[in-house]
Amino acid sequence: MVDRLEQSKALASDVRLTILTWLKTPALHFPHQVTGDPAEIGVCVTLLADTLRISQPTVSRHLEVLRRAGFLRVRRIGRWSFFARDEITLSDYAEWLRDTL
């Protein structure tokens, strides 16, 4: 069962909303990622931290909240983690929100 309260709380942060917005068009916001195409593999935590100008542990906490809510998926390549939006879950949440409110 999807926890709509946890999903709603995950969106109650400017930083997390910014992350979701940037990951909507990752090639536009992270064209300098050299490991791989950010649209294909996601965006590296290091780039997110650098672009947000916050520490890696802090951005990791934000990413984990979004992941637990189902809004992000993570892909591990070697010792690096790459994050991308889960469009199905985001669409499902938006539909639920429209229907509920």
Side-chain angles (χ1 to χ4, degrees):
M1 178 95 193
V2 176
D3 186 342
R4 297 298 188 190
L5 182 58
E6 185 169 340
Q7 287 182 318
S8 297
K9 287 179 182 179
L11 299 178
S13 161
D14 289 342
V15 171
R16 291 192 289 271
L17 288 173
T18 298
I19 290 168
L20 285 173
T21 301
W22 287 348
L23 293 181
K24 189 171 187 175
T25 52
L28 177 66
H29 297 283
F30 302 96
H32 52 289
Q33 179 169 287
V34 296
T35 306
D37 182 355
E40 276 185 38
I41 66 170
V43 176
C44 178
V45 173
T46 303
L47 288 179
L48 286 163
D50 289 349
T51 304
L52 288 163
R53 296 185 178 159
I54 59 178
S55 70
Q56 284 188 19
T58 300
V59 79
S60 291
R61 282 192 298 275
H62 285 294
L63 292 168
E64 181 58 19
V65 169
L66 290 167
R67 189 199 63 75
R68 278 195 327 262
F71 296 144
L72 294 181
R73 54 185 168 74
V74 62
R75 179 176 182 178
R76 293 194 185 356
I77 301 175
R79 55 178 234 192
W80 305 104
S81 295
F82 297 84
F83 286 84
R85 289 166 46 116
D86 186 318
E87 296 298 340
I88 293 171
T89 302
L90 285 162
S91 293
D92 180 62
Y93 177 80
E95 183 178 325
W96 170 81
L97 193 59
R98 275 191 305 274
D99 292 346
T100 301
L101 299 179

